[in-house]
Amino acid sequence: MSFGNRAAAPPAAPPAGPFSPLLDRAEIPLGDPRGRRLLRGRRVLVTGACGTVGGALCRRVWRLGPAALCLVDKDGRGLERLARELAARPGGGRVTLAEADVRDAARVDAVVGEARPERLFHAAGRYRLAEVEHDPCRGVADNVLGTRHVLDAAVRHGVRRLVLVSSDRAAEPTSVLGATMRLAELLLQTATGGPTCFAAVRVGDVIGAPGTPFGPLARRIAAGEVVTIAHPEAARHVMTVTEAAGLLIEAAALAEEAETFALDIGSPVPVLDLVQRYAAQLRSPAVTIRFRGLGPGEKLAEKAFADSERRIRTAHPKIWGTRPLPPPGGVPRLLDALAAAAEAGDADEVRLLLRRLLPEYRPARRSLPASEVIREYR
């Protein structure tokens, strides 16, 4: 089983790109022709438009010539700045702004109903692991219930394609963040069978937003301050914002039946190596690193797909997909109970219901110990 044409000719070797020395690999080219066919002359809506991935996605969509682009975020000033930036760039037709919080079902429905998008990218959410682990009720409200509201509005108003921005932490989740992302993916499975085509995209850690790739990190290294990372062996899937935005658009074109997609960027990058390479780029003579130990829910390394998920080739040689099994029965009832627990601020009940909804969610409670030694790397 495959998505699209598997006989596509292999692409030419890509140019190195500015982030290649940092990532120790070439950036993966994600071409515009498929995206242009998908988006040119179409009405497009992006939630979380002011976020790192959402903003990069808006800039790329705009360049592909949509008839209209609706920017949705709860940051009103951020929306105005992004709209002014897009207006100064060559690209699509009309830009509209909608200040909205995805936790507000009525507001989401009104925005989608007014914009009438044909393509919808859902990038709004809460993606910081420690933040969601500390406040699981807010994590569920943003990532699960917010997705449910966007999904319901999309189906009600006839959106043709919807793409969810998920996380590689959804594969074999050990954190509340991973569980909420996996549950958001599961919601797409429950909505198949109608005219709307769904897809989820697992994104790793992202670099290359406007400004320096690691703003606070750059300032600490330049000032000679101690840099704190989780563990000497911690490794992460790292991609550029350009790769993330391109992957989302490619996934929208490749989607057939609520698949989950990920970009093949090789093995996770050791965080220690990443910091050292970045310090070398800044020409810092030395960087001092402290290891704090893994926090609750944190893994040494993430996977793009769970061992139980069958990877399937797509028309793009660097994009893989999987079709998860149908969701178990009783999901709507448990989701209602999860919503009630999150609204009541009952964190213990939220965690319990997440485990009932997702048998693969195995919370990691023990932290690996921090190093007692502060090491200096030159």
Side-chain angles (χ1 to χ4, degrees), residues 147-199:
T147 298
R148 194 184 199 183
H149 299 156
V150 172
L151 184 64
D152 289 347
V155 171
R156 186 177 299 113
H157 296 290
V159 174
R160 303 302 298 180
R161 286 181 181 259
L162 183 151
V163 178
L164 163 72
V165 179
S166 185
S167 166
D168 58 358
R169 291 180 170 90
E172 299 179 356
T174 59
S175 62
V176 177
L177 171 59
T180 60
M181 291 285 102
R182 181 68 191 95
L183 194 50
E185 295 174 0
L186 190 64
L187 286 174
L188 304 186
Q189 299 290 315
T190 68
T192 57
T196 306
C197 182
F198 303 102

Side-chain angles (χ1 to χ4, degrees), residues 7 28 40 46 48 79 86 106 109 136 145 153 180 189 192-193 195 281 285 287 298-299 302 313 330 356 362-364:
I28 296 172
R40 189 172 183 83
V46 179
L79 286 172
L86 294 178
D109 187 75
L145 305 182
T180 60
Q189 299 290 315
T192 57
Q281 284 190 6
V287 56
E298 203 170 6
K299 300 178 189 175
E302 301 291 345
R313 291 185 181 276
R356 290 182 62 187
R362 297 175 181 177

Side-chain angles (χ1 to χ4, degrees), residues 9 14 21 71 100 104 188 202 206 244 262 292 294 361:
L71 312 177
D104 185 339
L188 304 186
R202 289 178 182 165
V206 174
R292 60 170 169 76
L294 293 180
Y361 168 43

Side-chain angles (χ1 to χ4, degrees), residues 37-195:
R37 289 194 297 271
L38 180 79
L39 300 176
R40 189 172 183 83
R42 302 290 188 177
R43 297 183 302 277
V44 182
L45 184 147
V46 179
T47 72
C50 296
T52 300
V53 173
L57 177 62
C58 290
R59 294 177 188 100
R60 187 152 186 157
V61 168
W62 180 251
R63 194 179 72 195
L64 296 176
L69 177 57
C70 180
L71 312 177
V72 182
D73 202 284
K74 57 187 178 183
D75 180 359
R77 291 184 178 178
L79 286 172
E80 292 173 1
R81 286 194 298 270
L82 180 57
R84 287 194 297 269
E85 179 187 337
L86 294 178
R89 293 171 176 247
R94 182 171 57 94
V95 175
T96 59
L97 311 180
E99 189 173 344
D101 189 324
V102 293
R103 293 175 298 166
D104 185 339
R107 176 62 178 153
V108 168
D109 187 75
V111 167
V112 175
E114 184 176 347
R116 297 182 301 113
E118 297 161 278
R119 315 286 189 244
L120 193 157
F121 295 91
H122 178 40
R126 194 164 290 267
Y127 296 96
R128 295 185 182 277
L129 186 147
E131 190 177 75
V132 176
E133 200 70 31
H134 176 72
D135 189 353
C137 297
R138 182 62 184 268
V140 164
D142 285 344
N143 297 343
V144 181
L145 305 182
T147 298
R148 194 184 199 183
H149 299 156
V150 172
L151 184 64
D152 289 347
V155 171
R156 186 177 299 113
H157 296 290
V159 174
R160 303 302 298 180
R161 286 181 181 259
L162 183 151
V163 178
L164 163 72
V165 179
S166 185
S167 166
D168 58 358
R169 291 180 170 90
E172 299 179 356
T174 59
S175 62
V176 177
L177 171 59
T180 60
M181 291 285 102
R182 181 68 191 95
L183 194 50
E185 295 174 0
L186 190 64
L187 286 174
L188 304 186
Q189 299 290 315
T190 68
T192 57

